[in-house]
Amino acid sequence: MTLLDGKQIAATIRAELREEIDALRQAGHRVPCLAVVIVGENPASVTYVRNKMRACEEVGIRVERIALPDTVSEEELLAEVHRLNADPAIDGFIVQLPLPAHINESTILSAIDYRKDVDGLTPENVGRTVQGQPSIVSATPRGIRELLARYNIPTAGKHVVVIGRSNIVGKPVAMLLMQRPYLSLPGMSAASLGDATVTICHSKTQDLAAICRTADIIIVAAGSPGLLTADMVRPGATIIDVGINRVPTTNDQRLTTNDQRPATKLVGDVDFENVAPKAAYITPVPGGVGPMTIVSLLQNTLQAYNEHS
Ligand code: NAD
């Protein structure tokens, strides 16, 4: 079994990005700039935004944080989106999700100029991805494809089972791996990317286990800890665990009664302990898909800068 070390691959990619951005600066060009809009103070969103900003700063991408109160109206947020669309100093921006219940996410996402949509969530970018045209691909699917590429795991002709049909992971990753390849990535020929036979499963799928057992690659993005168990996995399969779940630690995982560690831990959707020995490749949680998602945002920002500045 080989661990797909997203943390290390992401660090390698950040070093590559830093080099590219240093070269821009040295040539007298302005550096790329990302704006991050955060509404309210949802603790998970605050942490995600902080991590994204830190990663930007590490590679030399300028980053602007725009914090709006959770009382902001949909019209006010739309006005901010329009302002960022028109600002030539901003190459790309994201609106951190989720948004408060009184704001329609799809109205906001649809208003973002697709050329600046570095989360790849606008109908324009999603449509382009579906049609196999060059597009900004949403961060987690892009990160998964890059991770497979960097470990030279071919997808052509393979059966990929995706568990989850969300707009941010399940659907776009299925599209990406199914389509005829048009991009080449470092370390892998274009012919080896895409071209998979993809099955998308979801909460209403019948006999998920039987479908998974026919998979060469399983991508789990359900948000359900322990969903993928060893009996669902063919020996030698590749397992990509997208899930991020915070679960309580059991008492025996705390060393003493004075143990100061938090009483929760992060786990994915895979029963890692029992699945890992059967898998050829598997991502850990944390340290697998998560860091690849953040680095994909940086790559998307540089892509937007290169294509439209
Ligand atoms: P979501 O929460 O919007 O939807 C979950 C999907 O899983 C649904 O389509 C549902 O039908 C399916 N599902 C749920 N339970 C199932 C079951 N028992 N069997 C089969 N299908 C089932 O999905 P999301 O926003 O894509 O998030 C999924 C998970 O991935 C969450 O844990 C989220 O935190 C995580 N996530 C991680 C990253 C990352 O960078 N690692 C990025 C995005 C999301």
Side-chain angles (χ1 to χ4, degrees), residues 8 59 65 113 140 217 238 249 272:
Q8 200 231 306
V59 303
R65 186 181 194 273
D113 183 332
T140 304
I217 299 172
T238 293
T249 49
F272 185 87

Side-chain angles (χ1 to χ4, degrees), residues 140 163-166 168-169 202-203 208 221-223 227 242-245 289-290 293:
T140 304
I163 307 177
R165 56 180 163 182
S166 72
I168 61 166
V169 187
H202 47 77
S203 51
L208 181 65
L227 173 64
V242 184
I244 301 179
N245 309 291
V289 175
T293 296

